[in-house]
Amino acid sequence: MRTDKEIFLARLLRERDKFEWLINRAGSARRMTVKGISGKWSIKDILARILAYEQYLGDRMNELLHNEPYTPCTTQTALDAFLAEFGYPDFGSPLVDDDDLDTWIIEKYRNVALEDLIAQEIQAFDVILTAFEKMPEEMILRHNLYERIADHTYRHYRDHAVVIKRWLRIQSPQTR
């Protein structure tokens, strides 16, 4: 009988495979940087956003594994220090505004090569996987990690997949 952890891991990997397939279907770097896929975003911008959330989650999971406390930033000074230390926003802070975060993320990765961005995103996902595999079931449950991981990975992928699929259908109407 498979454990909840094994079932969740299988689902996570299955959803990840679907997302990677969709991204690969987008094709060339030129197509992946076309603005307007989701609002004013390109697929590259979407990947940058996913990367930042996955980095945040992976680091918090590693902190849990090492019994290191995480407290969301409650002052602008702390928020600025967090950003300087980690290189991404404190998504858990009540001070952050999603629109400002998205603008910051997209600007940060504007001049990063698509291949480098993809490599960083794959690495961030691997950090999540590695931490998850090391965690005992009790820790996963105590910190509501099934929900948190789903929110920052495959639910996030699904949200963006809808607009990417729509854009791909528009780009290739003969495949309908």
Side-chain angles (χ1 to χ4, degrees):
M1 178 112 168
R2 289 177 25 171
T3 65
D4 288 344
K5 184 176 177 180
E6 292 168 331
I7 292 167
F8 182 84
L9 182 59
R11 181 178 191 178
L12 177 62
L13 293 173
R14 187 174 54 252
E15 295 289 339
R16 176 64 186 202
D17 286 346
K18 288 180 194 176
F19 184 69
E20 286 184 9
W21 178 85
L22 179 64
I23 296 302
N24 287 328
R25 196 170 147 224
S28 69
R30 184 192 60 73
R31 282 180 53 138
M32 292 181 71
T33 57
V34 170
K35 297 289 186 182
I37 309 302
S38 178
K40 59 186 175 188
W41 295 353
S42 66
I43 292 174
K44 180 185 176 192
D45 296 335
I46 291 168
L47 287 173
R49 188 171 192 271
I50 288 170
L51 165 61
Y53 277 91
E54 287 179 344
Q55 287 174 322
Y56 170 82
L57 177 63
D59 286 347
R60 302 299 75 77
M61 290 173 70
N62 276 317
E63 288 169 352
L64 289 172
L65 277 172
H66 296 99
N67 292 321
E68 297 171 3
Y70 159 72
T71 304
C73 299
T74 56
T75 67
Q76 189 60 47
T77 302
L79 202 55
D80 293 341
F82 184 98
L83 187 61
E85 179 179 352
F86 292 104
Y88 54 80
D90 179 3
F91 294 107
S93 172
L95 300 177
V96 297
D97 174 274
D98 283 343
D99 292 334
D100 290 343
L101 289 180
D102 291 340
T103 301
W104 183 90
I105 292 166
I106 289 165
E107 190 58 37
K108 176 182 179 181
Y109 291 100
R110 176 180 314 276
N111 296 317
V112 173
L114 177 64
E115 297 79 23
D116 293 340
L117 176 72
I118 291 170
Q120 289 177 43
E121 191 279 328
I122 290 169
Q123 181 180 13
F125 182 75
D126 285 344
V127 167
I128 293 168
L129 275 181
T130 301
F132 180 76
E133 289 171 341
K134 290 179 182 178
M135 287 185 171
E137 177 85 13
E138 184 276 327
M139 180 181 279
I140 293 167
L141 293 172
R142 181 170 15 111
H143 295 285
N144 195 29
L145 287 176
Y146 289 127
E147 283 298 311
R148 291 172 64 191
I149 293 169
D151 286 346
H152 289 298
T153 60
Y154 67 81
R155 288 183 187 142
H156 206 175
Y157 306 156
R158 286 180 192 163
D159 291 345
H160 292 296
V162 170
V163 294
I164 294 170
K165 286 177 185 176
R166 182 174 37 233
W167 180 78
L168 287 171
R169 278 194 301 275
I170 291 168
Q171 297 301 304
S172 305
Q174 68 276 11
T175 61
R176 282 189 214 171

